[in-house]
Amino acid sequence: MRRTLSLTAVLTTAASLLVAGVSSAEPDAAATPAIAWADCPEGVAAEGVECGTLQVPLDYRDPHGRKTEIALSRVASKNPAQRRGVLLTNPGGPSVALTFPAQLRDVLKMPQSVLDAYDVVAVDPRGVGSSSPVSCDLTEEQQADGSIPPYAVTPGSVRERAAEVKRIAEQCLASPDAEALPHNTTANAARDLDVVRAALGERKVSYLGYSYGTYLGAVYATLFPNRAERVVIDSNLGAQGWDIEATRAYGQGVEDTFPDFAKWVAARPELGLGATPEQVRAKYFELAGRLDREPVHGVDGGIFRLLTFVSLYRGTDAANQALATNWRTLAAGDPLPLPPGELPDPSEVDALISGRLHIVCGDSRWPKSVKTYERNVETDRKRFPMFGAAGGNITPCAFWPDPVEQPVKITDKGPRTVLVVQNERDPATPLALANSMRRALGDRAAMITVDQGGHGAYLVGQNACANDKVTAYLLGGERPARDVKCAAETPAQQQDPVETGVIG
């Protein structure tokens, strides 16, 4: 694998680490073939992990028509006496999910009691990873444009970018995989999960999803309310999923989360980045402006802002130290070191970004007018000056066809089976989005908010209060009777399990 990907592409890839007319009736279990479990392919293979595939309808409105293949992995319970069922999982993205069961076990240290209680199963969403992957034939430069928009330095930046992302959309529409494009949606990915449930011979399944996986879980619980037994959604998108407002929310997320980093730096004046949180914030704008005018070894202000955004995902001492070191390096005019290990193959990045575009752009109707994005950028530049002009920027979704079906509306109809978990300060999915999801679910849900920053709470943030409450719900169905808040814990109690990019 080459080590020539642009830094922008590397950081964008790291950040990934985001029903009218169609029946939601359960699949016919008798007609659903059993899964033939086998060894996993390279990159997924790990001790105790099995993999399999299923054929599902490309278009559920035509269940006997063309099929598409989905891939899944499993870490099966080894304790028959304690096993209670299947826990479907999704780490977010939309991204590769097959490695997630092993990561939950080995990296995030899921309690053994939960591993005993469930077969932990993950499914690559259709069009992503090993599930009939798609390609938009993206160049390495284009791969950096397919996920988090770059910061629009000037008002003209939006119109310049519009021409670039229009080409990306046109490539996706002209690719050999374009036939799948209208059908690679979250609604169909949720229907795929119910095919998996039937193939596993389960009457009900439980679910644990992070980031984009929260919307997938909420859609599944909406389409199949009597099949979703215990649903935990953590680091939540809003009730509308990953739409234009979710992308614009990056601006608010950075404003919410950055003060934690600023306080950490201010407590270490020897770093030379500011002795007060206000001075650290001013240093951010100083460095960003300087790099806008004069990039350092290929790192411009946009990459600097993106690097900061990605680092805020983790919210730990280790992440803060790494980010502060990068700031000092750039302030000195020195080059940033390349990430350790091999960089991802460009073809793998193409598949990841292309699959994500299929789902995100196809889930909702995005504004078509470039002027809308110009207005959004200028509004968000003032509301959220640190990153708003990135979140408001135009994406390939502006040039996407309208969805073939209405988005699934998340409502309060169904049993009280959903537990919403959310850090109060999250750069990618801020608390405002979780509150939107919580309101839509109404009496179906209870919510745990955690007084900490970073993307991911259960097992990720190492908060004992949140971990204990979620584990108790997964094991015994003991869900809080009302919304609760978990207090902050000392940094010494936190680890940094997201260094490996587990949560998307």
Side-chain angles (χ1 to χ4, degrees):
M1 295 183 184
R2 296 178 292 166
R3 294 181 59 81
T4 57
L5 284 178
S6 70
L7 181 57
T8 304
V10 173
L11 292 173
T12 302
T13 303
S16 71
L17 298 165
L18 339 89
V19 188
V22 181
S23 171
S24 61
E26 77 174 272
D28 182 356
T32 303
I35 300 166
W37 296 105
D39 292 340
C40 295
E42 183 180 358
V44 181
E47 182 181 355
V49 182
E50 305 166 290
C51 288
T53 60
L54 276 175
Q55 296 290 316
V56 297
L58 178 65
D59 182 353
Y60 278 89
R61 297 170 301 181
D62 182 17
H64 302 294
R66 181 182 164 186
K67 304 295 183 182
T68 189
E69 186 174 81
I70 58 170
L72 56 160
S73 64
R74 175 177 73 174
V75 170
S77 168
K78 296 182 179 179
N79 191 333
Q82 298 297 320
R83 183 188 181 278
R84 66 173 315 276
V86 166
L87 180 67
L88 297 176
T89 62
N90 185 280
S95 189
V96 174
L98 296 190
T99 55
F100 198 42
Q103 290 169 331
L104 282 167
R105 180 192 64 191
D106 301 334
V107 181
L108 297 181
K109 306 301 182 184
M110 175 172 271
Q112 187 61 47
S113 56
V114 179
L115 295 170
D116 287 341
Y118 293 98
D119 295 344
V120 180
V121 175
V123 183
D124 277 352
R126 51 170 58 203
V128 176
S130 298
S131 291
S132 301
V134 298
S135 171
C136 296
D137 197 23
L138 302 176
T139 66
E140 292 183 28
E141 184 177 2
Q142 287 175 326
Q143 289 165 10
D145 282 338
S147 186
I148 300 169
Y151 189 91
V153 178
T154 69
S157 299
V158 178
R159 192 158 294 277
E160 293 173 8
R161 175 170 162 78
E164 299 167 1
V165 297
K166 183 178 182 182
R167 283 192 291 271
I168 291 175
E170 289 172 344
Q171 288 170 215
C172 293
L173 292 167
S175 78
D177 301 315
E179 184 181 355
L181 186 147
H183 311 296
N184 286 353
T185 63
T186 298
N188 281 336
R191 296 177 181 113
D192 295 342
L193 293 182
D194 210 55
V195 175
V196 170
R197 175 201 59 77
L200 293 172
E202 299 289 331
R203 189 174 64 87
K204 294 185 177 184
V205 287
S206 293
Y207 181 88
L208 171 65
Y210 296 81
S211 196
Y212 161 78
T214 63
Y215 183 57
L216 176 60
V219 170
Y220 180 76
T222 298
L223 292 179
F224 305 98
N226 296 317
R227 297 300 178 194
E229 186 173 20
R230 297 172 187 173
V231 177
V232 178
I233 50 178
D234 185 321
S235 308
N236 291 262
L237 286 171
Q240 305 304 315
W242 192 344
D243 62 358
I244 185 173
E245 294 306 321
T247 301
R248 294 180 72 183
Y250 293 150
Q252 180 175 353
V254 171
E255 298 287 348
D256 289 348
T257 310
F258 186 81
D260 288 350
F261 172 69
K263 291 176 185 176
W264 186 92
V265 172
R268 296 160 178 79
E270 68 276 7
L271 294 173
L273 298 174
T276 67
E278 293 76 17
Q279 290 176 356
V280 178
R281 181 179 172 90
K283 188 68 173 181
Y284 172 90
F285 289 108
E286 175 196 331
L287 281 172
R290 185 197 311 175
L291 293 166
D292 284 336
R293 297 185 298 272
E294 189 174 340
V296 171
H297 298 280
V299 178
D300 60 17
I303 295 177
F304 167 76
R305 294 177 180 93
L306 180 60
L307 181 151
T308 300
F309 171 77
V310 171
S311 296
L312 294 176
Y313 259 57
R314 289 151 56 190
T316 62
D317 277 2
N320 290 341
Q321 183 63 63
L323 179 58
T325 298
N326 285 336
W327 277 30
R328 286 162 55 89
T329 299
L330 292 171
D334 295 329
L336 293 178
L338 282 169
E342 293 184 328
L343 297 180
D345 188 285
S347 64
E348 296 174 3
V349 180
D350 170 39
L352 173 65
I353 298 299
S354 299
R356 176 173 300 172
L357 287 173
H358 270 232
I359 293 174
V360 172
C361 297
D363 266 0
S364 61
R365 286 177 170 80
W366 292 73
K368 307 292 187 186
S369 170
V370 177
K371 289 187 179 297
T372 298
Y373 296 91
E374 291 176 325
R375 288 193 297 269
N376 289 349
V377 162
E378 291 313 304
T379 297
D380 291 354
R381 191 192 305 280
K382 297 172 184 175
R383 289 197 305 163
F384 310 121
M386 300 192 77
F387 205 64
N393 208 347
I394 195 167
T395 75
C397 299
F399 303 98
W400 217 256
D402 284 338
V404 298
E405 62 170 309
Q406 293 295 318
V408 176
K409 184 178 181 180
I410 308 301
T411 72
D412 60 357
K413 296 178 181 177
R416 294 171 53 84
T417 57
V418 184
L419 183 59
V420 179
V421 187
Q422 181 72 29
N423 288 337
E424 290 188 347
R425 299 174 297 283
D426 185 318
T429 56
L431 181 60
L433 294 183
N435 286 335
S436 164
M437 180 68 81
R438 173 69 183 88
R439 286 192 299 271
L441 288 165
D443 288 341
R444 292 199 68 185
M447 183 169 176
I448 300 171
T449 55
V450 187
D451 183 9
Q452 64 187 28
H455 193 52
Y458 179 56
L459 305 180
V460 180
Q462 298 295 298
N463 181 282
C465 166
N467 286 352
D468 290 348
K469 291 182 184 301
V470 174
T471 296
Y473 180 54
L474 290 174
L475 292 179
E478 300 170 14
R479 202 187 67 170
R482 59 183 63 86
D483 294 354
V484 297
K485 179 176 177 177
C486 287
E489 297 185 1
T490 62
Q493 292 174 280
Q494 294 185 359
Q495 301 176 23
D496 195 10
V498 214
E499 276 189 311
T500 53
V502 174
I503 304 300

